[in-house]
Amino acid sequence: MSASLTREPRWSELTAVYGGAFDPPHAGHLEAVRGLFGNPGVARVWVLPSPNPPHKPCVAPTEARIEITRLTLAPHPTGAAPMPGEVTIDLSEIERGRRNPGQPYYTFDTLTELGRRTDQLAFVIGVDQLEALGGPERHRDGDEDQGDDGRPL
């Protein structure tokens, strides 16, 4: 197992990667991002809208979801509190989808790409997606570790 997987995370140096369809983005997304700065106390959050998730068809077009996500996470003139840290809308999944239309893409590939920018990443998904996950579709180096129930980890 990699040393980076076994050491205690340095939360104040960590970048949280929060992916999802954001169809539509809503107050729950906003509070999830805001909450990452408080507990566990990450340095920054990269929000990654998915171009066309295979497990959840999108209703709104990609460009509309990006713009609404930007508006949802932007400081509001109504006096709403600004984000307590750096939030970036990262379009790497969207751009990969544009470069390879019709091709499947996997979170594993996205995290591998983002890991080239920083080695301090934490992957964050919504509870709805966590519940929908089955076994992983991609495994690093083809390894398939198995849990007690025999399912791949």
Side-chain angles (χ1 to χ4, degrees):
M1 183 176 289
S2 166
S4 64
L5 295 177
T6 58
R7 70 173 185 251
E8 186 68 27
R10 296 182 306 269
W11 294 108
S12 64
E13 299 173 18
L14 204 119
T15 299
V17 177
Y18 185 29
F22 301 101
D23 188 31
H26 50 74
H29 294 125
L30 179 65
E31 289 310 308
V33 170
R34 186 178 305 284
L36 289 166
F37 292 108
N39 185 9
V42 301
R44 69 198 60 78
V45 177
W46 292 342
V47 176
L48 278 88
S50 299
N52 189 18
H55 58 283
K56 182 179 181 182
C58 291
V59 176
T62 301
E63 294 304 321
R65 291 185 293 114
I66 293 168
E67 186 58 26
I68 296 168
T69 300
R70 282 190 176 130
L71 292 171
T72 300
L73 297 173
H76 293 279
T78 59
M83 284 293 170
E86 176 190 338
V87 178
T88 302
I89 308 286
D90 185 295
L91 300 179
S92 57
E93 283 196 350
I94 300 289
E95 291 163 3
R96 186 175 40 217
R98 288 177 180 150
R99 286 190 310 266
N100 304 298
Q103 296 295 313
Y105 58 93
Y106 299 97
T107 301
F108 175 88
D109 298 321
T110 301
L111 294 175
T112 299
E113 181 180 313
L114 295 175
R116 293 182 185 114
R117 295 189 218 166
T118 179
D119 64 349
Q120 295 290 316
L121 291 177
F123 179 57
V124 180
I125 60 173
V127 171
D128 59 332
Q129 295 307 306
L130 183 62
E131 291 172 346
L133 287 178
E137 296 292 327
R138 290 285 298 263
H139 303 281
R140 184 179 8 190
D141 299 326
D143 293 337
E144 290 190 33
D145 294 331
Q146 293 188 350
D148 292 338
D149 62 355
R151 291 180 50 191
L153 297 174

